Amino acid sequence: MLQKQVLENFQKIVGPENVDDSEVMTNAYSYNWCMEFVNSSEGKEPIPFSSIPKAVILPSTVEEVQQIVRLCNQYKIQFKAQSTGLGPWNQPSSENCVILDLRRMNKIVKIDHRSLYAVVEPYVSGAQLQAETMKFGLTVHMPGAGPQVSPLASATSMNGPGFTSPHTGHSARNVLGVEWVLPDGEILKLGSVGMKNDSDWYIGDGPGPSLRGIMRGWAGAKSGIGVFTKVAFKLFPYPCSTKFKLSGNSPDYEFEIPDYMKLYVMDCKSYSHLEKVFLAIEEEEISFICSHLSGYGLGAIFSNSIGSLMDKIPIAGMLVPLVVLIAARTKREFEYKQKVMSKILIDFNLENVIGSKYTPNSLFYAEALRSNLGLHGFIATGGFQSSKGQCDTVKVCVKTTKESIPLKKKYIKKGVIGNDFGEGVWITSYESGHYFHIESPTMFDQTDEKSVKGMAENMEENYQFDLLKHLGAPFFVEGDKMHDLFGPEMMNYHIWLRKIKKAFDPNGIADSGFYISAK
Amino acid sequence: MGRIKPSEELRDLVYKCTECGNCAIACKFLGNLEPLEIIMRLREKLVKAGFGPMPKQEEYIQSVKDFNNPYKEPHENRTDWLPKDIKIDSNAKVLYYIGCTSSYRRKEMAIAAARIMNEARIPFNILYDEEFCCGSPILRTGELDTFKQVLNRNLDVIESKEIETIVFSCAGCYDTFKVDYPLYRNYNFEVLHTVEFFDKLLENGKIKLTEKIPIKVTYHDPCHLGRNAERYEEWDGEEVHIMPLITMNIPPKPKRTGKRGIYDPPRNILKKIPGLKLVEMERIREYAYCCGAGGGVKSAFPEMALDTAKLRIEEAEDTGAEVIVSACPFCSTNLQDGINSRGSNLKYYDISELLLMAMGLEPEKLKHILSEVD
Ligand SMILES: Cc1cc2nc3c(=O)[nH]c(=O)nc-3n(C[C@H](O)[C@H](O)[C@H](O)COP(=O)(O)OP(=O)(O)OC[C@H]3O[C@@H](n4cnc5c(N)ncnc54)[C@H](O)[C@@H]3O)c2cc1C
């Protein structure tokens, strides 16, 4: 709870109905996905709650955010911002923190369909923006978390791979102009939107040195370096006809598959073959989705319940599957892409099982267009989180997959994580094979203490394993402990990150529990 | 309860849900997750802990105990709505269950339903002073003990008569009898909403439509008649541990997806009215947006109920319709409040009122409606 005077001052900024410091509300904001095993790793009770925020504040404009941040500085209270609130690490890491829930900032500010970018506020979801951009034959990059999350949060603050990454890239690389409230309350505008004259959102660099890297680096600062209130990012051609006709009921929706879409699922049979096929396909720049999943993972993305997962045994038996979705806007383009795929199938002695041995539900295609496949990770055990998360060459990603199998099997054998035969990974290319991403989705049961503890141990052992084997930094290098573990092995980046934190947040007001402290 | 203790703060949040069930039909992806039932169980827990229902809801529950209706209306006035010329047949196998809201507040619905049945020569009976509140407003607050008493009394009365079919014009009573009663006690009669009943009568020619109503109408699906009017299917399977951490329902447990709600009968009726044009809103059928009145919200949080109704009216306006029609007395009240508060040009009618006009039984009202939308 806040002291009365402090509460009143926050209320003056946003109105009394937009500040809540009640026990019930603040507890709800301390809940988060995966906090059970984070707590367990830290030797705490394995509950899904973090520290409880002092209050939840709902600003509606950048000026209100600025005033709140200034007040936080005045009272030495930390703040933590969240957009659509699905990401882990959007909760406070200390008891001295208020949550800025940005749900009232929910406008699509601009869609420039000629220059291919959109400008949005934090609470615009990927699905909302996609629905609007589709009117111009365009789409937006959405992280694998799905269409319900904020493209702003992904672009400015957290990770960024998605299922359509071969076509739509990575959130970090799509950022253009940014409006940013720094931890001391100053408003900074990055890129062309910061120009004095004719300011607009079309570029993210300058004036002066580019700050895009400082803003989020690779993994994002998770609110540890201020609050982002508007962002512009690139749009991409919608890959096929924008007709989107869905019918039926959850979870068994039917989708009218648009013309000129074709799915390929091929068994590469060995990891070395997978590596070659990946590169061959991506070199041709034809895929909308190009992902390796394990046989089990394949079953999961085509299923919408545990019952239907069990029907997928025929495809789940594949050894090293590769999923490729091609889509086109004209017959000619479609024929060309199919021809290329046919040649690759012959060259690499592959068979496409789709249409012959297996036909997925039509819903798969809708979920592919909407980047909604990550959700399927929850079907089997009710919970999952990924270890790994590296971005590197396809070679490193495949090596990571192969070498990590025995480690995963060890935890499967203990019965604490779900059985995917140790092979359960997701590898995707970005930007037509420019580089690749690997993560290892790991199923556990959040309601089972043994499973939660096992998952925590599994994550910890994976970190050590990745370091030992030089497999790069995982997704979740969060907080001082992790940065201090990985930094020395990675050109001492953590020293620079601390300098950035110190320069931008001299008073330590932006909650850095999942970023880095200036210490 | 664990981390958070029951409190008035918690109560105020939990009771702000209209229990419209949209969450439950939108989210059938994960195992046994049933979001609406979580809210219902939470309310039951709050009642047991002495924090629920909301004070306003407690008042109407007390009124049901004292007066047999939530409006503190004298029980003896329950049949005041009944025009003298309506024929009631005490030997009829069809029972018309009027419900408290149509009896005391939305009498036009009861009158229209009764006249339509008379005109179609369907003998029907009513319970007169043996009709009591169905218990819906009590059940929705989580006050199970009182609900069960009400349910048992109602079923005792009805089963003492030789009733084969009960017809309801109130979507709330209908849902409660159809879906909720069987969870506690089975019965042996058929339950129908008037829209289902009248649709059949139109189909087999017992109702004839003679008048043109050349207006544009949009239909609002009441939650109680739509997605929530889907019975729970019996399932006596078990949750089987098929491998570590993975359980499965064997055989598969049927899910309430909302698709078996009553959506076509009201639309069939409207489409058969000569000259009438049905234009649909964006969110309809199992995905319909709630009017905002359900779950006791209208009494406990009237502002919130009104704000919600205004959103729905805005959606109805966007269709270009002149009239919004529904089939539930709660939706009727709340949507009309929404119309008034928004200063909307839309008119609200119950579907049975429109049917009555199309049957040529309300020439004055018909003239009025036509002049209104002119
Ligand atoms: C099933 C599932 C699959 C996932 N798969 C992926 C994946 O494939 N790729 C991927 O990148 N991520 C993935 N995630 C992680 C995460 O949900 C996403 O990264 C997502 O972009 C977070 O968006 P959000 O709006 O929900 O974030 P929030 O929960 O609102 O925030 C996420 C983080 O960013 C910070 N933040 C949010 N908004 C602001 C702001 N305006 N200013 C400053 N800081 C802010 C928060 O403090 C928090 O640390 C997945 C999550 C789930 C549940």
Side-chain angles (χ1 to χ4, degrees), chain A residues 22-24 27 30 47 49 52 248-251 253 304 306-307 310 375 378-381 415-418 448 451, chain B residues 3-5 7 9-10 13 25-31 242-249 255 257-259 286-287:
Chain A
S22 68
E23 185 203 16
V24 176
N27 264 280
S30 75
I47 51 171
F49 297 94
I52 301 169
N249 299 82
S250 172
Y253 296 106
N304 50 17
I306 180 76
M310 293 299 138
L375 188 64
F378 290 107
I379 292 177
T381 59
V416 290
I417 61 172
D448 175 335
S451 177
Chain B
R3 191 177 163 89
I4 302 176
K5 300 280 166 281
S7 64
E9 274 166 30
L10 178 61
L13 282 179
I25 68 117
C27 187
K28 283 286 184 276
F29 196 80
L30 288 181
I242 52 171
M243 52 178 84
L245 308 176
I246 302 185
T247 47
M248 222 177 128
N249 293 326
K255 292 188 174 198
T257 61
K259 70 177 164 212
E286 57 269 47
Y287 302 108

Side-chain angles (χ1 to χ4, degrees), chain B residues 221-265:
Chain B
D221 290 284
C223 309
H224 283 303
L225 186 59
R227 57 184 161 249
N228 286 341
E230 188 168 307
R231 274 206 173 115
Y232 291 86
E233 283 177 59
E234 270 182 33
W235 178 72
D236 63 356
E238 51 181 331
E239 270 187 50
V240 181
H241 239 80
I242 52 171
M243 52 178 84
L245 308 176
I246 302 185
T247 47
M248 222 177 128
N249 293 326
I250 298 181
K253 194 174 181 180
K255 292 188 174 198
R256 288 170 84 222
T257 61
K259 70 177 164 212
R260 285 179 286 124
I262 311 301
Y263 306 114
D264 290 323

Side-chain angles (χ1 to χ4, degrees), chain A residues 31-33 82 84-91 145 149 153 158 385:
Chain A
Y31 170 86
N32 211 337
W33 181 46
Q82 58 171 259
T84 41
L86 190 88
W89 333 131
N90 64 29
Q91 72 284 8
V149 306
M158 187 173 187
Q385 180 50 289

Side-chain angles (χ1 to χ4, degrees), chain A residues 33 81 83-87 89-90 102 144-145 150 157 159-161 222 228 378:
Chain A
W33 181 46
S83 290
T84 41
L86 190 88
W89 333 131
N90 64 29
L102 304 171
S150 154
S157 307
N159 305 110
K222 319 230 160 58
F228 302 98
F378 290 107

